[in-house]
Amino acid sequence: MIEFQNISKYYQIGEEEVHALDHVNLHVSKGEFVSIIGPSGSGKSTLMNIIGCLDLADEGIYILDDIPINEYSERELSKIRNQKIGFIFQSFNLISDLTAEENVELPLIYQGIPAKERKNKVREVLEKVDIYSRKNHLPNQLSGGQQQRVAIARAMVTNPSLYLADEPTGNLDSKTGAQIMKLFQELHAKGNTILLITHDESIAKQSKRMIRIQDGKLEEVKK
């Protein structure tokens, strides 16, 4: 499903060229639950941005669902982000003046889904993450855990082929974080592909496969 072949990404900081990703090779099969673990500045965010088609590599080949990403136009990349990838961020990224229900509905509006079908899909995913009773609340009326449940529901509503989670428990207390990880385990049990990026080893160990990133290089971790 995901294949990196010698992927590199460089940034110029002053006179220094920083290798955020340095000839990275990676393979993630459909249905896997993989965690990428590493400290701040290790290249995690760059890796996530390229996997999520939010950024492009400077070198190498990225193949997603058997098609090299460099063959896609920006319009096609946008379609991939909207339909194939469910993004879940540490900061939730909910729109502050939209209710929980409206935040989850938004990707379906971009897809042109009819209103009645949108409502049914939104209700279904909000119920799955046990937040439907708060559907009319704005983000600032929800706890951190509730906001993350809404964010997960928003990712689920398009039935993506890949869930890409960046520090999804980073802003949560340990109890709430455990509840969110339980949701990821349930998604994985249903055959979904999950790639979770974290700095927390206790979180990473809950995946089926761990990969460490350091100085822009990847190393498989034996569990």
Side-chain angles (χ1 to χ4, degrees):
M1 180 181 186
I2 294 172
E3 186 174 354
F4 275 19
Q5 299 176 2
N6 290 312
I7 290 289
S8 293
K9 183 70 179 181
Y10 311 119
Y11 295 105
Q12 196 73 31
I13 301 178
E15 296 182 359
E16 182 183 4
E17 186 177 71
V18 176
H19 291 215
L21 295 178
D22 189 3
H23 296 92
V24 166
N25 293 291
L26 172 67
H27 182 84
V28 177
S29 299
K30 182 175 174 59
E32 279 198 282
F33 185 178
V34 179
S35 60
I36 307 286
I37 182 169
S40 177
S42 60
K44 298 193 307 296
S45 295
T46 301
L47 182 71
M48 188 208 77
N49 288 341
I50 292 176
I51 291 173
C53 300
L54 297 168
D55 199 0
L56 297 175
D58 293 319
E59 294 179 7
I61 299 171
Y62 172 25
I63 298 172
L64 178 64
D65 288 341
D66 299 322
I67 300 176
I69 284 299
N70 60 3
E71 293 184 8
Y72 286 99
S73 66
E74 180 52 45
R75 183 183 180 88
E76 289 170 325
L77 289 173
S78 178
K79 188 175 180 180
I80 287 172
R81 291 192 293 267
N82 185 244
Q83 297 183 358
K84 285 193 173 187
I85 303 173
F87 293 95
I88 301 157
F89 299 97
Q90 177 179 357
S91 56
F92 319 130
N93 284 19
L94 301 177
I95 296 176
S96 61
D97 58 351
L98 296 183
T99 65
E101 183 178 44
E102 290 167 340
N103 267 283
V104 175
E105 185 181 22
L106 203 56
L108 300 179
I109 293 174
Y110 292 149
Q111 288 186 7
I113 304 296
K116 184 176 180 180
E117 186 179 349
R118 291 200 308 266
K119 293 295 182 184
N120 289 337
K121 285 178 177 287
V122 171
R123 176 169 187 149
E124 180 182 353
V125 295
L126 287 174
E127 287 178 342
K128 282 182 179 178
V129 300
D130 196 25
I131 200 71
Y132 184 72
S133 63
R134 310 282 284 179
K135 68 185 178 72
N136 292 320
H137 288 67
L138 296 172
N140 65 6
Q141 298 171 320
L142 301 171
S143 69
Q146 289 170 336
Q147 289 185 65
Q148 194 60 291
R149 286 175 182 272
V150 173
I152 292 173
R154 181 184 57 193
M156 292 170 61
V157 77
T158 58
N159 193 29
S161 54
L162 169 66
Y163 287 91
L164 189 54
D166 184 17
E167 301 281 6
T169 62
N171 283 339
L172 307 176
D173 60 71
S174 57
K175 181 180 177 181
T176 307
Q179 293 170 347
I180 295 302
M181 288 305 298
K182 185 173 182 290
L183 280 175
F184 282 117
Q185 297 290 358
E186 291 170 357
L187 284 169
H188 177 246
K190 293 176 181 176
N192 291 290
T193 308
I194 301 172
L195 201 152
L196 187 151
I197 295 172
T198 183
H199 69 278
D200 187 334
E201 191 149 344
S202 66
I203 294 295
K205 285 180 177 178
Q206 296 178 53
S207 67
K208 301 301 181 184
R209 179 180 163 209
M210 278 176 64
I211 298 171
R212 192 176 302 280
I213 183 167
Q214 183 72 47
D215 299 326
K217 296 181 180 292
L218 299 186
E219 179 185 5
E220 198 87 20
V221 178
K222 292 183 179 179
K223 297 180 66 177

